């Protein structure tokens, strides 16, 4: 559809030909990267005991071949905090208060942020920001190509390193923990038998946070090209409706809202956000160090 706006001619024809050749080469190279491997998730259950029967998603990504980085567990973090710790109790109670369906602590603005930053918008708004900045800077075509290649390879890695850690630690989501708050051995975590998360709980383990790794990696890649963006306003565009946008004073503010929205929505703990920021910074730094720099 976007090609329709480009006038027909030799340049358009050559561009389509080159694009198809590159796409075919990449698809051939990645044909056996593991992302299409069979789902082999083994439910955690005692023989004869019922467990929910919807299988968690993307188990195979924990074993997929990354881009540039050497292996999926290269940036695997340490474990979540012990359930007996003060950190666990503090972060448990934060998400319990802010992230419940019937929360009175979550503000109207936070509620709108949760609705915007659903899974479908984990990557798209960062693409729109990169496009907007590239247009403003009038970046040469080759530099634009490198920017989007680096951004999207890095975001692909975000899912691989995150799923490796998720299925390694298999840590419970808030909806499970809060309904079992009397079983974690911590007197500071009071059970709420009917608690539900405001945002639908994703069907995979909690730790770490995909939204946070994505936001950290994307902002680092974009800043590596355009420089510090603390004072440059940016706009996030909803991939479902281009008229639905959220304006931010800076890229930093946009990233922070995407991260916090997962707590406000009741699907992540604060410690997962902190760990995921560290993972995202490490993945971005490695990608920036080990990919070709633009020619000057």
């Amino acid at each position: 559809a976007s090609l329709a706006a480009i006038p027909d001619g030799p340049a358009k024809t050559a561009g389509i030909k080159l694009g198809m050749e590159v796409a075919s080469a990449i698809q051939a190279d990645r044909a056996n990267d593991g992302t299409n491997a069979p789902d082999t998730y083994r439910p955690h259950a005692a023989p004869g005991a019922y467990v929910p029967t919807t299988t968690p998603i993307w188990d195979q990504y924990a074993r997929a071949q990354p881009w540039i980085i050497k292996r999926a567990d290269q940036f695997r973090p340490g474990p979540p905090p012990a359930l007996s710790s003060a950190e666990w109790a503090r972060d448990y109670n934060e998400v319990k208060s802010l992230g419940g369906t019937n929360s009175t602590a979550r503000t109207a603005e936070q509620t709108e942020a949760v609705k915007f930053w659903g899974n479908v918008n984990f990557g798209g708004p960062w693409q729109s920001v990169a496009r907007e900045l590239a247009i403003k800077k009038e970046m040469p075509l080759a530099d634009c190509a490198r920017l989007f290649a680096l951004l999207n390879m890095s975001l692909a890695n975000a899912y691989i390193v995150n799923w490796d850690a998720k299925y390694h630690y298999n840590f419970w989501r808030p909806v499970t923990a809060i309904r079992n708050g009397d079983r974690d051995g911590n007197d500071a975590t009071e059970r709420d038998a009917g608690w539900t998360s405001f945002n639908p709980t994703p069907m995979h383990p909690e730790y770490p946070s995909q939204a946070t790794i994505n936001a950290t990696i994307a902002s680092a890649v974009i800043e590596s090209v355009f420089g510090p963006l603390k004072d440059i306003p940016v706009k996030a565009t909803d991939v479902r409706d281009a008229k639905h946008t959220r304006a931010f004073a800076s890229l930093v503010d946009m990233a922070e809202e995407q991260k916090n929205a997962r707590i406000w929505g009741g699907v992540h703990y604060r410690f997962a956000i902190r760990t995921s920021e560290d993972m995202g910074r490490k993945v971005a730094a490695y990608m920036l160090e080990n990919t070709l720099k633009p020619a000057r």
Side-chain angles (χ1 to χ4, degrees):
S2 64
L3 287 173
I6 302 173
D8 291 334
K12 180 177 181 179
T13 300
I16 292 173
K17 181 175 182 292
L18 176 59
M20 294 297 290
E21 289 174 353
V22 172
S24 295
I26 291 172
Q27 289 175 338
D29 181 65
R30 302 292 298 186
N32 297 309
D33 67 358
T35 56
N36 292 320
D39 170 21
T40 58
Y41 179 80
R42 182 171 183 165
H44 295 258
Y50 171 79
V51 296
T53 51
T54 300
T55 306
I57 63 170
W58 290 5
D59 166 71
Q60 61 269 44
Y61 267 68
R63 302 177 299 279
Q65 174 191 343
W67 297 81
I68 309 299
I69 66 177
K70 297 176 181 178
R71 55 186 196 279
D73 65 353
Q74 186 171 341
F75 300 101
R76 183 186 291 171
L83 299 183
S84 59
S85 68
E87 182 181 11
W88 163 247
R90 181 192 64 217
D91 293 356
Y92 170 107
N93 286 308
E94 179 188 28
V95 69
K96 180 183 177 185
S97 173
L98 286 171
T101 301
N102 300 315
S103 172
T104 57
R106 186 179 56 248
T107 67
E109 181 64 18
Q110 289 169 342
T111 296
E112 287 304 307
V114 173
K115 293 177 180 178
F116 181 89
W117 291 110
N119 290 17
V120 70
N121 275 331
F122 276 13
W126 295 100
Q127 312 287 337
S128 63
V129 166
R131 284 195 298 272
E132 180 182 344
L133 293 172
I135 291 169
K136 287 181 179 178
K137 191 176 180 180
E138 298 182 344
M139 285 180 64
L141 180 60
D143 288 354
C144 285
R146 177 186 179 275
L147 165 63
F148 285 98
L150 181 57
L151 176 62
N152 286 288
M153 285 192 296
S154 300
L155 287 174
N157 281 340
Y159 286 89
I160 295 171
V161 300
N162 190 38
W163 253 249
D164 165 76
K166 279 183 180 293
Y167 284 106
H168 178 75
Y169 292 113
N170 203 54
F171 198 71
W172 56 1
R173 290 280 183 174
V175 68
T176 309
I178 293 169
R179 288 179 175 232
N180 288 281
D182 57 340
R183 295 182 176 181
D184 63 3
N186 194 318
D187 292 338
T189 58
E190 185 176 342
R191 180 191 186 211
D192 184 338
W195 190 91
T196 55
S197 59
F198 175 61
N199 207 57
T201 296
M203 197 59 193
H204 47 77
E206 188 274 340
Y207 180 85
S209 162
Q210 189 67 65
T212 300
I213 297 177
N214 281 24
T216 305
I217 285 177
S219 56
V221 169
I222 292 172
E223 285 197 338
S224 75
V225 175
F226 299 103
L229 300 174
K230 292 182 179 179
D231 300 318
I232 300 177
V234 293
K235 179 176 65 177
T237 302
D238 193 330
V239 299
R240 298 161 294 193
D241 179 4
K243 295 179 181 178
H244 186 200
T245 62
R246 290 185 69 77
F248 300 93
S250 71
L251 197 71
V252 173
D253 292 341
M254 176 173 158
E256 285 302 306
E257 183 177 91
Q258 182 177 7
K259 300 170 191 176
N260 286 319
R262 305 307 277 174
I263 295 173
W264 303 334
V267 298
H268 274 301
Y269 311 101
R270 180 68 62 184
F271 59 78
I273 305 302
R274 291 192 294 269
T275 295
S276 303
E277 288 173 333
D278 183 61
M279 290 176 68
R281 285 190 290 266
K282 290 176 179 176
V283 171
Y286 190 92
M287 293 295 289
L288 291 168
E289 180 64 28
N290 291 278
T291 52
L292 292 174
K293 306 299 185 290
R296 287 291 182 266

